Amino acid sequence: MLTWVKIDGSALRHNYRVFVKIAGEERVALVLKSNAYGHGLKETYQALTAGSKDETLKKNSYLCTNYLFEARALRGLGFAGRILVVGPLPYETLHDHFAEARELNAEVIIGNRENLESWLSLSEKPQVHIKFDTGMSRQGFYAEEAFSIADLLKSHKKNVIGLCTHFANVEDVLEHDYAAKQLSLFDSAVQAFHKNGLTPLKHAASSASCLLLKQSRFDLCRIGISLYGMWPSKATRLSYLQTFKDLVELLPVLSWYTTITTLKTVKSGQFIGYGCSIRAVQDMKVAVLPVGYYEGFPRLASDAHSYVLIRGVRAPIVGRVCMNMMMVDVTHLSTVTIGDQVTLIGGDQGETISANDLAGWAQTINYELLSRIHPDIPRIIQ
Ligand SMILES: *Cc1c(COP(=O)(O)O)cnc(C)c1O
């Protein structure tokens, strides 16, 4: 194999248990969108359903996807619990979409008038959650529309499963006053539904808000990044530490490996890679790795400010990351050979490169880095 991803099943189940402990079992909705944040939808589902009785995914759990095809895949894997598809609806093919959601027994989110009218016109309706835009300016109705929408939905009570919103500014700050404003708008929307006799589930939290804001947990917490053992951001981690004086233990689930496919000597004065961005100032030993930006390794992690691990030692990337390859400087590694295993994310002999390290070097966040690891790369459950 040229490159592969390892999934630590027991770390995944540990993180799941962390949230069961924080929020209560019935409140944890696991977010498996974007190929389970790059961990592999199938492998993540399999790893979640393995393990002992008290750590494995419960049969009546909630899973969240972005697309309907992901819900279809989960049904294909035998998941019979509840599925909430959180992504946008395709306007042109809305009726087919609703019909398939119904067939799959998947719940969808409605957050605009056009989708609501189309849903109301159906004789056979899939179950829905109504979304409120309380400050993200993305999906959802405004809170002031809640009363009129509740009025339209009065006679469809049994198909209105939830009311939800999404926070815009919990991850990036230590003070959560914006979230408080969002919560108060959400509350006014919920009250408007109550006045119309509708009392569906309420949900707002994702990883950061579930961790930090007890008042945001309501009936469900949609847990994504932290299921995979990552803090949503440094600020979230710091904020947690400030509030609770201790940290919950989140264990990274994913590591990413490759091997050296070519080892070569680059003579002093020779250039390395596209744009001749680097020139050897001494004779160098360079290893070629079969991973590039197509595979999901960020191109911004080029030119000697990013590292990989070989035999437990950091080796700097030299020159620009190519489409399917990159070069690393191994001059300082006397024993390196062709075929050696290389760690792109993970630990090796006490040294670690975390997803956060690599994301930082590439000027991005762990979410983007992980979710862009190419889905065709084999995921091996450990
Ligand atoms: C992705 C997503 C989440 C999960 O967010 P994390 O920060 O990864 O926990 C929750 N809710 C919605 C609507 C999402 O799209």
Side-chain angles (χ1 to χ4, degrees), residues 122-382:
L122 298 170
S123 51
E124 307 265 37
K125 295 176 169 57
Q127 298 191 312
V128 290
H129 296 237
I130 305 299
K131 185 147 196 179
F132 288 96
D133 180 350
T134 56
M136 177 79 180
S137 298
R138 194 175 66 175
Q139 287 173 300
F141 300 100
Y142 290 119
E144 62 256 31
E145 301 172 87
F147 198 90
S148 67
I149 289 159
D151 189 48
L152 289 170
L153 290 170
K154 258 188 216 166
S155 47
H156 304 286
K157 253 187 202 172
K158 72 173 195 330
N159 285 319
V160 182
I161 299 295
L163 301 177
C164 56
T165 190
H166 193 64
F167 292 112
N169 200 22
V170 175
E171 287 83 0
D172 299 315
V173 288
L174 298 177
E175 307 240 355
H176 299 107
D177 44 329
Y178 196 79
K181 279 190 199 133
Q182 288 194 263
L183 276 171
S184 117
L185 282 172
F186 184 52
D187 185 59
S188 69
V190 168
Q191 293 312 321
F193 271 66
H194 285 185
K195 281 186 197 129
N196 282 281
L198 291 153
T199 53
L201 296 175
K202 294 175 286 178
H203 51 108
S206 53
S207 299
S209 33
C210 178
L211 285 161
L212 297 174
L213 310 171
K214 191 165 190 291
Q215 68 277 28
S216 77
R217 289 180 199 148
F218 298 113
D219 300 313
L220 281 179
C221 299
R222 309 178 303 255
I223 307 301
I225 195 78
S226 297
L227 170 66
Y228 307 99
M230 301 275 116
W231 286 87
S233 68
K234 269 191 197 153
T236 307
R237 194 171 172 278
L238 248 169
S239 192
Y240 191 92
L241 200 53
Q242 273 183 355
T243 312
F244 300 99
K245 312 293 174 220
D246 199 5
L247 285 173
V248 286
E249 187 186 36
L250 297 174
L251 303 174
V253 173
L254 178 145
S255 5
W256 187 9
Y257 303 98
T258 186
T259 56
I260 296 176
T261 50
T262 295
L263 257 184
K264 68 197 322 149
T265 303
V266 172
K267 285 255 179 279
S268 179
Q270 276 177 254
F271 292 97
I272 302 170
Y274 286 121
C276 296
S277 60
I278 294 260
R279 187 176 204 175
V281 293
Q282 54 170 34
D283 289 356
M284 287 171 74
K285 198 159 48 170
V286 167
V288 182
L289 310 181
V291 171
Y293 54 83
Y294 174 76
E295 284 72 28
F297 197 91
R299 185 173 173 277
L300 277 176
S302 293
D303 280 342
H305 67 269
S306 315
Y307 301 86
V308 301
L309 285 180
I310 302 171
R311 300 187 177 220
V313 176
R314 287 187 179 209
I317 294 168
V318 282
R320 293 183 190 157
V321 171
C322 313
M323 192 179 276
N324 303 108
M325 284 178 263
M326 64 175 136
M327 288 73 90
V328 298
D329 181 5
V330 292
T331 311
H332 57 305
L333 296 172
S334 53
T335 57
V336 71
T337 60
I338 187 167
D340 269 4
Q341 181 169 310
V342 177
T343 305
L344 304 174
I345 297 173
D348 181 15
Q349 300 173 43
E351 175 67 293
T352 301
I353 289 175
S354 69
N356 289 327
D357 292 331
L358 182 52
W361 295 332
Q363 296 166 46
T364 184
I365 53 173
N366 49 22
Y367 291 79
E368 184 184 9
L369 178 77
L370 292 171
S371 65
R372 297 186 78 162
I373 299 176
H374 201 289
D376 287 351
I377 296 173
R379 269 68 174 173
I380 296 158
I381 306 171
Q382 181 195 50

